[in-house]
Amino acid sequence: MYLSFVGVRTVVRSAKLRLPVGAPCRGVQRNLSSLPSHYTLPSGDKIPAVALGVWQAGKGEVGEAVKTALKAGYRHIDGAWVYRNEEEVGQALRDSGVPRDQVWLTSKLWNTFHAPEDVEPALDESLQKLGTEYIDLYLIHWPIAFKKGSNNELDPELTANPYPTWQKLEELVDKGKVRNIGVSNFNIPRLRNLTANPLKYKPAVNQVELNYWNPQPELLQWAKENNLLLEAYSPLGSNKQVKETLQLPEVKAIAEALNITPAQVIISWHVQRGTVVLPKSVTPSRVVENFQVVKLPDELFNKLEKAATSHPPQRVLNPSKSWNLPFDVFDDDGGVTVPDEGNNGERSGAQGWRSGATAV
Ligand code: A2P
């Protein structure tokens, strides 16, 4: 009997042994061709494919979730300054006894800290809260800059031109405080707008919403062609859509055929698409369940991919209105000057479906 778990290669065996009786991955016979446990970034660093996401994991519960995850074999925690739980995450990591250098930590620069002089102090605060000297991956959380100290007041210049912010991130790499840098919530025009500059380090990842409802096949294709790794947040549809996701007939049918859970079907599908996946849970049994991914047979994978990409996309998250932005953050009408890429200054959004891309 062969199970193919994603995880740090050296811990796969022990993770298997630690599975509680009755754990949701019920151990059907699978072939040995498994999913990648890691992806290699341009720096040469290997980033684990499955992470525990801690957005919306509250104080008093996130620490236990992190400890459960590390015990189950996770070696990747995806956090951010704005989640306001970095202290508890850091404490749980220390309590777990897993050495710091065996765990991949991601954090993100919040929108109010895009001014070049604010970038390093913002990172330092995250480092201090996490209790670590370096972060494996630091992302610009949104392609939106707010004016320093303001209540979500747009800074149009730093939003249209993120290069000054990016140069500070590059400096943090050179100082050894950050190992890899990337972005989050960038669409293709915004990525091209940033990478048209003479970058010392290109974005290694772009963390975006990816799930059954908003699978973004065009962005995924573009990312693969441009050596950019995507990371899937809200991979199950977040708390708003998780129920619907796990009840989809296509997902349930695959779960039954493979004797795995619907959540494992979805999380496996993400890795099979070639993205990092960041399922969030504070429920111990689900944390364990979500780490057990398997390669779906091609036919079933293709069926699910087709179902996901055959309906108009719907985002779970779009803060454009709540931030009073005069444009939609996921469309390209925010004053971005897009460099020509063979089609004369295209100014369209990232998704072919963009007109239907509304907040859920
Ligand atoms: P909880 O944290 O209470 O366990 P996403 O990863 O797309 O952001 O989804 C997170 C939501 O999905 C949370 O409400 C989380 O609940 C729930 N969830 C996470 N894993 C599972 C699972 N395996 N089965 C059912 N619900 C899950």
Side-chain angles (χ1 to χ4, degrees):
M1 183 183 310
Y2 299 111
L3 297 175
S4 34
F5 297 108
V6 159
V8 177
R9 280 200 180 94
T10 52
V11 303
V12 165
R13 218 170 272 143
S14 55
K16 260 203 270 189
L17 292 174
R18 272 194 232 108
L19 272 181
V21 176
C25 187
R26 291 181 289 265
V28 294
Q29 175 106 21
R30 297 183 190 102
N31 65 39
L32 268 176
S33 56
S34 57
L35 296 173
S37 62
H38 296 74
Y39 301 99
T40 304
L41 298 182
S43 66
D45 287 354
K46 292 190 185 327
I47 182 170
V50 181
L52 179 73
V54 297
W55 177 43
Q56 294 181 320
K59 283 190 178 147
E61 57 184 9
V62 68
E64 280 310 308
V66 167
K67 281 189 254 178
T68 303
L70 293 170
K71 215 170 163 189
Y74 287 75
R75 290 295 180 269
H76 182 172
I77 310 294
D78 182 86
W81 177 88
V82 81
Y83 302 164
R84 303 194 186 280
N85 55 17
E86 288 191 314
E87 262 166 354
E88 199 171 322
V89 169
Q91 188 59 49
L93 175 56
R94 284 188 297 283
D95 291 349
S96 75
V98 179
R100 168 67 188 92
D101 64 2
Q102 288 181 28
V103 181
W104 185 281
L105 285 182
T106 295
S107 185
K108 310 184 189 90
L109 177 77
W110 187 241
N111 307 355
T112 36
F113 305 128
H114 282 217
E117 66 275 17
D118 293 338
V119 172
E120 187 165 0
L123 171 75
D124 286 344
E125 195 180 324
S126 285
L127 291 177
Q128 190 256 326
K129 288 198 159 127
L130 287 163
T132 180
E133 286 176 358
Y134 70 93
I135 283 183
D136 298 277
L137 178 62
Y138 199 47
L139 308 179
I140 295 182
H141 204 147
W142 287 90
I144 301 295
F146 292 148
K147 285 188 179 151
K148 194 194 292 251
S150 75
N151 186 15
N152 298 359
E153 194 188 330
L154 186 71
D155 180 329
E157 285 82 31
L158 275 177
T159 297
N161 176 19
Y163 186 45
T165 310
W166 186 258
Q167 283 174 294
K168 281 289 163 186
L169 262 65
E170 290 177 329
E171 277 180 38
L172 297 176
V173 175
D174 290 337
K175 286 186 173 183
K177 291 184 172 186
V178 167
R179 297 273 163 91
N180 299 274
I181 50 178
V183 295
S184 181
N185 294 300
F186 275 53
N187 64 13
I188 295 171
R190 288 185 187 279
L191 288 163
R192 288 170 50 205
N193 179 48
L194 173 60
T195 56
N197 293 290
L199 307 187
K200 187 166 184 189
Y201 305 114
K202 279 188 173 179
V205 312
N206 182 22
Q207 184 178 125
V208 292
E209 179 186 324
L210 290 172
N211 48 49
Y212 178 89
W213 314 99
N214 186 38
Q216 308 206 59
E218 295 85 3
L219 179 62
L220 183 58
Q221 181 63 29
W222 188 90
K224 284 183 179 169
E225 287 164 8
N226 288 275
N227 195 28
L228 175 71
L229 182 66
L230 293 189
E231 296 189 323
Y233 74 69
S234 300
L236 298 167
S238 193
N239 54 355
K240 287 187 191 153
Q241 294 280 98
V242 59
K243 239 183 164 176
E244 289 79 354
T245 307
L246 302 185
Q247 281 170 6
L248 286 162
E250 300 90 338
V251 173
K252 280 169 78 178
I254 296 174
E256 272 165 34
L258 300 180
N259 197 22
I260 59 177
T261 70
Q264 288 168 341
V265 171
I266 291 287
I267 295 166
S268 301
W269 167 69
H270 282 289
V271 179
Q272 205 156 333
R273 298 181 95 207
T275 74
V276 167
V277 61
L278 317 166
K280 173 266 173 184
S281 178
V282 292
T283 310
S285 60
R286 291 176 177 167
V287 171
V288 174
E289 171 186 349
N290 294 346
F291 191 59
Q292 295 155 17
V293 299
V294 298
K295 185 173 185 296
L296 309 176
D298 287 347
E299 191 197 330
L300 299 181
F301 171 82
N302 291 337
K303 253 190 195 167
L304 184 52
E305 181 70 20
K306 189 158 183 233
T309 54
S310 298
H311 58 81
Q314 254 195 321
R315 285 183 185 277
V316 169
L317 182 71
N318 188 340
S320 304
K321 283 194 182 132
S322 63
W323 289 347
N324 287 319
L325 297 179
F327 52 84
D328 187 296
V329 63
F330 297 112
D331 285 340
D332 178 37
D333 51 2
V336 176
T337 307
V338 180
D340 194 358
E341 205 182 58
N343 52 358
N344 285 328
E346 175 208 352
R347 292 181 62 88
S348 63
Q351 303 182 69
W353 287 101
R354 62 192 172 277
S355 58
T358 51
V360 179

